Amino acid sequence: TIGNLLDHSAGFYGDDTTDTGSNDDVLARYVAERLPLLPQEFPLGEFFSYNNVGFTTLGRLIEVTTGTSYYAAMSDLLFAPLGLHSTFLERSDVLQHPYADGHVTMPINGTVVTTVQLPLWIVNSADPAGGIWSTTRDVIRYGRFHMASDTVAGPANVVSPESLAQMQEPMLPIPGTSLWMGRDWFVQDIEGFRTIGHGGD
């Protein structure tokens, strides 16, 4: 179900990053060609296991539902109504603006160094799982939208208060931690306060 994809309980292998191109059919091709080949690793809904491919599948569902590309749907239905004018998926849009390369600290030839994280871009088929480029200002605006879920429907009624609240409800415990998986926030209750978050890349 969509819920299983959102809370990472679908159970199929979720770390496949096969490149299916960069055209508008990239998600359709991935779901048709790659998804059927991925093994089911545990029964549906049994427990949490982070699944990026589940979000590729959700991206394709958005395309089918809206009749447009994932990129166009995100821009028209989310980014623009929320005023996220410096948030992009298309590489050509990112390259027209200042951006920061990701960095990583790791051992190279026996010495710990900080270097540019390569590759800079993820494959387009994984964009629904982590292809967004944004600014601090837009990320804060997006966070405020979620934090107001109990009082308002948000700008342009993008998502109902009920749906926003459901995203923050703990669905499955994450073994070995005090965290739960929501849909799709990581959720934790600390001394009577609910926290939501996602590290992302």
Side-chain angles (χ1 to χ4, degrees):
T1 67
I2 291 173
N4 294 121
L5 297 174
L6 286 169
D7 65 24
H8 301 274
S9 64
F12 54 80
Y13 180 75
D15 285 328
D16 181 76
T17 56
T18 299
D19 188 350
T20 53
S22 58
N23 297 325
D24 283 347
D25 67 347
V26 61
L27 300 183
R29 288 189 57 208
Y30 186 92
V31 169
E33 297 170 12
R34 287 298 303 165
L35 189 60
L37 303 178
L38 301 179
Q40 188 74 21
E41 297 190 313
F42 60 85
L44 177 69
E46 186 172 293
F47 55 82
F48 162 86
S49 180
Y50 203 90
N51 192 317
N52 285 313
V53 174
F55 274 71
T56 293
T57 307
L58 287 165
R60 177 60 184 147
L61 287 172
I62 289 171
E63 290 183 333
V64 171
T65 302
T66 62
T68 187
S69 73
Y70 173 72
Y71 302 131
M74 290 293 287
S75 179
D76 296 343
L77 301 176
L78 187 68
F79 301 162
L82 291 182
L84 306 180
H85 303 301
S86 299
T87 300
F88 308 105
L89 277 159
E90 297 276 8
R91 295 177 187 182
S92 58
D93 291 332
V94 174
L95 293 173
Q96 293 177 32
H97 298 82
Y99 67 90
D101 292 334
H103 284 68
V104 62
T105 300
M106 59 186 286
I108 297 179
N109 297 327
T111 303
V112 176
V113 298
T114 299
T115 185
V116 173
Q117 173 73 52
L118 297 174
L120 178 61
W121 309 99
I122 62 173
V123 297
N124 290 115
S125 59
D127 276 344
I132 292 175
W133 288 70
S134 192
T135 63
T136 303
R137 188 179 306 276
D138 275 10
V139 170
I140 289 171
R141 182 185 298 270
Y142 184 69
R144 286 179 175 154
F145 167 64
H146 282 277
M147 291 171 66
S149 63
D150 60 342
T151 58
V152 296
N157 293 314
V158 172
V159 180
S160 72
E162 295 78 17
S163 292
L164 282 173
Q166 286 177 17
M167 294 174 72
Q168 301 175 20
E169 284 297 313
M171 301 303 298
L172 293 167
I174 300 176
T177 76
S178 59
L179 296 171
W180 287 66
M181 191 74 242
R183 290 182 171 164
D184 173 58
W185 291 107
F186 289 100
V187 181
Q188 185 176 21
D189 290 324
I190 302 174
E191 298 182 0
F193 291 93
R194 170 143 306 160
T195 66
I196 60 171
H198 197 296
D201 283 332

